[in-house]
Amino acid sequence: SSSGDDGFYDVIGKIDPSAGDNTRALEIATKMKANSLEWYTADTARRKQLENENAALGKELQTLGMNITRGQDGVWRKEDGSALFTISQRDKEQAIIPAMKENSLAWFTASKDDQKKLAAKNKELAGYAGFTQKDGSWYTSSGALAYSLTNEEVAKAIVKQMKKNSAAWSSASEAERKRLSDENVELADRLSKKLGQKITRNNAGEWIINGKKLYDIYHSGGVVGGKSDEQFALLQRGEWVVSKVLR
């Protein structure tokens, strides 16, 4: 078993076989650990639910013969003072990194106020995992890059939102049309800065990049100049990608 599971087997070993089902005890401890990991990335309401659920599960363990208590630090402990279960650094990173990456991606299509909230949330999550920030990127306690976003991931997210705004424009009020238009201007600027490629809007209201319609490139793929030799390509299912050698 992994180091994160060692506490579970200690739990089972402490239970009086006559007091209940050891299999159920293992299920309970496993669920309590899962809840504790989810707590890191949950909102306030969900955190309360998780805490209440673990309280109920802890009481169930007690009915199985375990002398456990929940300390003021929120840690469930056995009678010898050791933790009921352990959460390793790897456990934390596996729970926290996907949430941080999702927040970072959402940042590109968020309002300025929501961008601040997303940045604050990632700072909070990074604190739980012991991450440090340098030049806009987060690094693990071992110095490794926690995660990164590719140009393709960012482009997909931004263009998806721009297309959604464009689709809503025709049926919107005048005030809402202006808001949608202004938002797309902002989104196009963010994408332009990310790719290092100029994006403009023509008289027909179409967004243009590298001489082509941005929304067409999104559907059919394309070659876009940028800051490095490796660029994003947004492809339809079944499309071919040919290397420079074959060209």
Side-chain angles (χ1 to χ4, degrees), residues 101-102 104-106 108 147-154 194:
K101 182 172 182 178
E102 182 178 344
S104 294
L105 190 59
F108 283 94
Y147 64 91
S148 62
L149 295 176
T150 65
N151 281 357
E152 181 180 0
E153 289 175 314
V154 174
K194 178 65 176 175

Side-chain angles (χ1 to χ4, degrees), residues 19-177:
D21 183 358
N22 285 359
T23 301
R24 176 55 184 161
L26 180 57
E27 290 175 352
I28 292 172
T30 302
K31 177 58 176 173
M32 290 178 75
K33 178 177 179 177
N35 287 348
S36 297
L37 284 169
E38 184 185 343
W39 184 94
Y40 288 117
T41 59
D43 60 25
T44 301
R46 178 58 179 159
R47 284 181 173 182
K48 188 63 177 178
Q49 290 176 346
L50 293 167
E51 290 167 2
N52 290 339
E53 184 174 342
N54 270 9
L57 291 170
K59 288 180 179 179
E60 186 176 349
L61 270 183
Q62 290 171 338
T63 66
L64 294 177
M66 279 224 60
N67 182 16
I68 59 171
T69 56
R70 183 175 183 268
Q72 299 210 349
D73 58 359
V75 177
W76 285 89
R77 301 189 185 279
K78 296 175 282 185
E79 55 187 335
D80 63 1
S82 60
L84 177 62
F85 54 84
T86 57
I87 295 179
S88 68
Q89 178 64 23
R90 183 170 178 268
D91 291 331
K92 288 183 181 180
E93 290 180 0
Q94 288 181 333
I96 288 173
I97 287 175
M100 291 185 68
K101 182 172 182 178
E102 182 178 344
N103 290 343
S104 294
L105 190 59
W107 184 93
F108 283 94
T109 57
S111 66
K112 293 188 182 300
D113 285 341
D114 285 342
Q115 282 183 336
K116 293 177 181 178
K117 293 176 183 178
L118 289 166
K121 184 61 178 178
N122 267 9
K123 186 176 181 180
E124 177 190 346
L125 293 173
Y128 294 138
F131 293 168
T132 55
Q133 191 175 33
K134 181 180 179 181
D135 298 329
S137 297
W138 289 101
Y139 293 84
T140 67
S141 56
S142 65
L145 184 65
Y147 64 91
S148 62
L149 295 176
T150 65
N151 281 357
E152 181 180 0
E153 289 175 314
V154 174
K156 282 182 176 180
I158 292 179
V159 174
K160 180 180 179 180
Q161 184 60 45
M162 291 179 69
K163 285 174 61 67
K164 182 179 178 180
N165 291 347
S166 295
W169 187 89
S170 60
S171 60
S173 64
E174 287 300 319
E176 179 63 5
R177 283 184 174 185

Side-chain angles (χ1 to χ4, degrees), residues 168-211:
W169 187 89
S170 60
S171 60
S173 64
E174 287 300 319
E176 179 63 5
R177 283 184 174 185
K178 184 179 186 309
R179 188 195 69 79
L180 292 168
S181 178
D182 290 345
E183 183 174 308
N184 270 8
V185 170
E186 174 67 23
L187 290 172
D189 182 62
R190 293 176 188 177
L191 182 56
S192 175
K193 290 177 179 177
K194 178 65 176 175
L195 301 178
Q197 183 73 20
K198 187 176 182 180
I199 299 176
T200 58
R201 184 164 58 180
N202 63 21
N203 292 334
E206 299 165 325
W207 291 99
I208 306 298
I209 182 171
N210 200 32

